[in-house]
Amino acid sequence: MKEIIRKLVEAWGPSGSEHQVRDLIRAEVEPYVDEIRVDGMGNLLCRVGSGGKTAIIAAHMDEIGVMTTFVEPKSGYLRFTNLGGLLHSTMVGGRIRFEDGTIGVIGVHEQFGASRTSVPELDDFFIDVSDGADGNNHIAPGSPAGFWRTMEERGTRIIAKSLDDRIGCAIAIEAIRRINKNTPNTLYFAFTVQEEVGLRGARTAAFGLNADVAIALDVTATGDLVRNSKMTVRLGDGAAIKFHDTGHVVPNAVRSWMVNRAEADGIPYQREILTLGSTDAAAIQVTGAGVPAGAISIPCRFLHTTSETVDMGDVEACVKLLVGLTSNPITL
Ligand code: CO
Ligand code: ZN
């Protein structure tokens, strides 16, 4: 599974430009699904099985990034706006990658002055894409870009950019393969676009499917950092079953369905109550006449940085829980 995770996290796909990730996922899942299509927003919808209850399983393909707004006339430095929740405190020296492969480096005004101890505003930053030739660059305003880092491993930990939410995509792909069309339910795996800019893809992905239940797969924060954040989730303690986040109160029936499955199958799990952030499930639950929704969350340290960290034991627990939930008859 690690090789597919590496391909996914090192792929290029800032919000609104998910096509490379979509092509990669399509190639991985096509032999294992009954139907595959792309909707008007760009979501990749894969059906597995028919009959029984209908479930949507959503994982977002996009990653946080930037879009260039303006080229400084003399210096050629690029100014930019955010695509999703950029953490200003992590950006100086960050590497940016454009679709054509150009690598830019983020600089900040007064790097060793005021910016050293206070968090700069977005318009204090700029991107250097000079190539030493004519001092100019060929990146036009309106160009999207993602952050760039390669994946690293340390024991059972995986350290990479975009684990939010390519690890969710990897879990969905692995589940599709293990299910191998053996399910009494109708499963729609939705690889969604534009989650990081406001859960936009998930809204159209759920349209017209009349789902009986939805599950989002996404990363969640952990409460095991130096100053404890009073969150119960810990890296390495298993799949996190969502109970609540800022956009989503998980219905009792859905969380019990997940907890009972984990207990029946002996899968390590923990309760997730997240006080900042949400997932595609929050958007799907309010589509149509309403869809009962829950989420399987992957504990992740250093969220929204280029060194997001997950544990492969948790990832395996999430795959097992998802396969258990979707390959047994859904009785909700
Ligand atoms: Co995110
Ligand atoms: Zn996410």
Side-chain angles (χ1 to χ4, degrees):
M1 208 182 158
K2 278 184 188 163
E3 273 327 292
I4 179 71
I5 295 172
R6 183 184 299 277
K7 277 195 228 169
L8 286 165
V9 296
E10 293 185 356
W12 186 87
S15 303
S17 304
E18 297 87 353
H19 46 280
Q20 292 187 9
V21 184
R22 186 170 55 232
D23 291 348
L24 208 162
I25 294 172
R26 181 194 277 268
E28 297 289 336
V29 301
E30 208 142 29
Y32 305 93
V33 303
D34 294 304
E35 184 194 340
I36 194 161
R37 64 189 161 92
V38 177
D39 76 4
M41 280 290 280
N43 301 299
L44 181 68
L45 303 174
C46 310
R47 181 175 59 81
V48 177
S50 56
K53 296 272 175 124
T54 299
I56 301 172
I57 301 98
H60 69 89
M61 298 186 287
D62 61 314
E63 65 189 287
I64 283 177
V66 304
M67 183 178 281
T68 58
T69 52
F70 177 72
V71 183
E72 290 288 345
K74 281 187 186 159
S75 59
Y77 290 121
L78 305 176
R79 298 296 190 159
F80 60 94
T81 189
N82 62 307
L83 293 171
L86 290 185
L87 288 177
H88 296 190
S89 58
T90 66
M91 294 206 301
V92 185
R95 295 177 191 185
I96 288 293
R97 188 171 49 155
F98 292 89
E99 185 165 14
D100 68 358
T102 299
I103 299 289
V105 176
I106 299 182
V108 70
H109 296 313
E110 298 185 70
Q111 185 177 337
F112 295 104
S115 298
R116 196 167 67 89
T117 49
S118 64
V119 179
E121 298 294 327
L122 198 54
D123 58 10
D124 290 331
F125 294 97
F126 52 88
I127 303 171
D128 180 14
V129 286
S130 64
D131 59 8
D134 56 7
N136 283 321
N137 68 75
H138 51 280
I139 307 287
S143 300
F147 288 81
W148 173 240
R149 279 278 182 104
T150 51
M151 183 179 107
E152 306 291 343
E153 292 177 54
R154 188 182 60 227
T156 59
R157 315 296 208 206
I158 300 272
I159 305 159
K161 75 167 186 70
S162 328
L163 281 166
D164 176 10
D165 184 29
R166 306 285 163 72
I167 196 66
C169 296
I171 288 166
I173 293 168
E174 183 66 17
I176 288 171
R177 291 179 164 185
R178 290 192 198 176
I179 294 165
N180 199 16
K181 302 188 185 178
N182 284 315
T183 174
N185 311 298
T186 306
L187 309 176
Y188 282 95
F189 286 85
F191 297 92
T192 63
V193 297
Q194 299 192 36
E195 189 271 355
E196 295 290 357
V197 290
L199 317 178
R200 294 176 191 165
R203 282 177 219 179
T204 63
F207 181 80
L209 297 181
N210 285 322
D212 297 298
V213 66
I215 303 170
L217 305 168
D218 209 338
V219 292
T220 190
T222 61
D224 58 4
L225 303 176
V226 174
R227 287 189 195 158
N228 216 305
S229 62
K230 295 182 180 163
M231 186 179 183
T232 59
V233 174
R234 302 178 69 85
L235 200 66
D237 277 5
I241 293 174
K242 189 179 294 291
F243 279 43
H244 181 88
D245 67 31
T246 46
H248 185 188
V249 183
V250 178
N252 230 318
V254 176
R255 67 191 223 188
S256 307
W257 174 52
M258 293 188 176
V259 166
N260 292 342
R261 185 81 257 158
E263 289 188 346
D265 292 353
I267 299 165
Y269 74 94
Q270 38 191 339
R271 294 160 181 237
E272 182 210 359
I273 301 97
L274 181 67
T275 54
L276 198 68
S278 202
T279 73
D280 279 344
I284 295 171
Q285 65 172 340
V286 291
T287 56
V291 181
I296 300 173
S297 303
I298 308 94
C300 183
R301 288 183 186 157
F302 318 120
L303 281 171
H304 288 193
T305 74
T306 54
S307 302
E308 293 176 331
T309 303
V310 299
D311 187 273
M312 281 305 290
D314 294 339
V315 172
E316 177 61 24
C318 291
V319 174
K320 280 191 182 144
L321 180 55
L322 180 59
V323 171
L325 291 168
T326 54
S327 58
N328 286 291
I330 297 172
T331 53
L332 274 174

